[in-house]
Amino acid sequence: MEYTILIKQNPQSGWFIGQCEEIPEAITQGKDMDELMFMMEDAIELALECRRDELRETFSDSNTIVRKLTIGNEKKFIDQAFGQRELHTV
């Protein structure tokens, strides 16, 4: 997956501040560009983990269907409902 990072440099400290355009809650900083991008990877992973936890809590009943989707040259999704799995290729 590719993400767009919006970056500004603080004129007083010289540190770089970044925010992920696709995941606005992923915000971090670094003393240089390499550190910023390393920290941004962690910020994105943590933000996605928080989103997953919130969704799982919202959709925690037995009527929930879980579907995985892979986007690329070949699109596939897996249905998981009531213990059954089916693979579909589009």
Side-chain angles (χ1 to χ4, degrees):
M1 187 85 185
E2 185 174 273
Y3 299 98
T4 304
I5 310 303
L6 306 174
I7 301 168
K8 285 189 176 186
Q9 187 172 20
N10 183 309
Q12 285 87 24
S13 68
W15 282 56
F16 292 89
I17 302 159
Q19 183 171 13
C20 180
E21 189 173 56
E22 295 83 3
I23 307 169
E25 60 269 34
I27 303 169
T28 193
Q29 62 183 1
K31 62 184 174 212
D32 57 39
M33 195 64 71
D34 289 337
E35 183 179 50
L36 171 67
M37 297 309 282
F38 178 80
M39 299 297 290
M40 185 55 68
E41 188 174 339
D42 279 347
I44 290 170
E45 287 174 358
L46 287 170
L48 290 174
E49 186 177 313
C50 287
R51 284 182 175 187
R52 278 190 296 270
D53 290 347
E54 289 172 3
L55 282 173
R56 285 184 183 138
E57 190 174 309
T58 302
F59 291 93
S60 62
D61 64 47
S62 62
N63 293 323
T64 298
I65 296 170
V66 178
R67 179 179 275 182
K68 294 193 182 239
L69 173 66
T70 302
I71 298 174
N73 292 338
E74 185 177 326
K75 296 182 180 181
K76 298 178 182 178
F77 62 91
I78 297 173
D79 281 336
Q80 291 177 290
F82 310 108
Q84 297 175 335
R85 300 179 117 199
E86 294 180 42
L87 177 63
H88 305 272
T89 302
V90 179

